[in-house]
Amino acid sequence: MSGKKISHSDIIGERGVAHVRKVVAAMGYLFYETGGVEAGVDGFIEIRNPDTGEVANQTIQFQSKATTKKLPGESVDGFHWNCSEKDIQYWSFGTMPMILIVVDLEHDKAYWKDLRTWFAEDENRAGKKVHFDKNADLFTADAALSIRLVSENGRPGTYYSAPRKPEYLTPNLLHVSRLPETLYWAPTDAKSVKQLWFQARELDPYPNREVILRENALLSLRNLDAHPWREVCDAGAMEEFDAEEWSQTDDPDRERNFVQLLNQALQEMVARDLRFHPKHRTLFFKPHKGPKKRRFGYRAEQKQSGRWVASPYYKKGRQNELVYWRHSAFSWQFLRIGRDWFLQITPTYHYTRDGAVPDKFAAEHLAGIKRKEWNDAVRGQFVMWREYLCGKGKTDLFGDGYPFLGFSPVDKLQASFGINDAFWKSSEGRIGNGEADLLG
């Protein structure tokens, strides 16, 4: 007679839940296990004030995944966890915030991720993987504040379908209205990009950026028979080409080279006002010299508007205790649709310690504010970047526009249905991830 059996995987799962229970208790929060049949939720964490004991029905769901094996895609800094499309849909659709907790039983460690925020990014959803940072995403008692902030992003109350209405949509695209006309090619002895720019900056500390190195040759939007490039290439062998051979090519390598030149041109175009962060591939506003906070004024929706685009934040009540600087920023991508080129803009923020040096808690600050900002706030940022970039290519009383790039707005799109704005949860005036205790 054979008795009932409990599988090895069941025991591993129980060990994982036990680890989560231990950490939640250390946070001073309440732990509720689902138990029985469940479709993708192992339990709930209710937020509790450890000092007063007060609870306010702020709850998040969690799914626990435990393993005794090597974590998928593991490296020194992180790993990933594969998710099914059904799980992603289930986790994303709910009205309660959802976190994924991966427990590494072999090393007695756990890591967590806010799934709603993670899968809000199209790239992350398409990849069907959650990427964990072993330092930033540790699930320990120290994560209590971040867990509480996730719980504040819930959707309280009963949900009713909103009445639909026609709506105009603002694409996050700009039409590239001016492209370079000529490309310049010349051979060089530089063996690497690092060597090329080292040689150029020895001759000129601020050389123009519209140059790339390809197969022992320079490809440029500017004439290479000029300082400092004539000193780092064979300008006597320089050739000129019609840029349309690259902009309208069917050769993917040529198109890649052209896009790289456009990327370099965009950085040069905004160099006076913006700084490039290579790791995150974003451009962000510099503060005024000092450093002093910076405001950008522009015209939006037929009225004058403005936004603080580089601001210091201080500890509340301590104006001499700087916490960080927050900068308006964007990432971008050049796209070709038919014969036309477009610039796709994704507004974001960049955080620094002093207006220049990256802040080590930038990822946490960014996740917090993105949880708080809804559609109108993001659209407002895009409108600001649209006005800024379209203005950079124009010739006015103060000088000529940038010669190699120009942008123009893309018309709004009309959808046959939309959601009445009154049904969206307003987040205006709310500051994310601890910023309520800071002053700008």
Side-chain angles (χ1 to χ4, degrees), residues 69-80 102 104 106-107 109-113 130-140:
K69 301 177 182 179
K70 183 177 180 180
L71 295 166
E74 187 172 13
S75 66
V76 175
D77 299 321
F79 64 95
H80 67 257
V102 176
D104 181 355
E106 183 178 354
H107 299 97
K109 290 184 177 180
Y111 308 89
W112 74 285
K113 208 77 167 182
V130 179
H131 291 271
F132 291 86
D133 184 308
K134 287 185 176 179
N135 294 315
D137 299 331
L138 270 173
F139 184 69
T140 65

Side-chain angles (χ1 to χ4, degrees), residues 235-250:
M238 184 179 69
E239 296 184 30
E240 298 182 23
F241 298 91
D242 186 339
E244 192 169 332
E245 294 182 33
W246 271 260
S247 67
Q248 300 300 324
T249 183
D250 293 325

Side-chain angles (χ1 to χ4, degrees), residues 205-234:
Y206 302 106
N208 59 278
R209 294 175 173 83
E210 307 99 330
V211 179
I212 60 174
L213 176 65
R214 289 294 182 271
E215 298 178 354
N216 300 318
L218 300 187
L219 194 62
S220 172
L221 302 185
R222 295 183 188 264
N223 193 322
L224 291 167
D225 190 13
H227 180 77
W229 300 110
R230 69 163 70 97
E231 284 84 19
V232 296
C233 73
D234 183 359

Side-chain angles (χ1 to χ4, degrees), residues 352-394:
T352 63
R353 289 192 321 222
D354 56 3
V357 178
D359 185 81
K360 64 179 180 179
F361 299 109
E364 186 176 346
H365 300 323
L366 183 60
I369 196 169
K370 283 197 170 184
R371 283 196 293 267
K372 304 300 180 182
E373 288 199 335
W374 288 59
N375 182 63
D376 281 348
V378 177
R379 183 175 59 195
Q381 290 182 67
F382 168 76
V383 170
M384 178 197 72
W385 286 118
R386 182 186 67 194
E387 297 306 305
Y388 171 79
L389 290 170
C390 289
K392 296 301 290 185
K394 292 179 180 178

Side-chain angles (χ1 to χ4, degrees), residues 256-267:
R256 257 192 303 274
N257 291 340
F258 187 69
V259 168
Q260 185 59 41
L261 283 170
L262 294 182
N263 288 334
Q264 296 295 105
L266 178 63
Q267 293 175 51

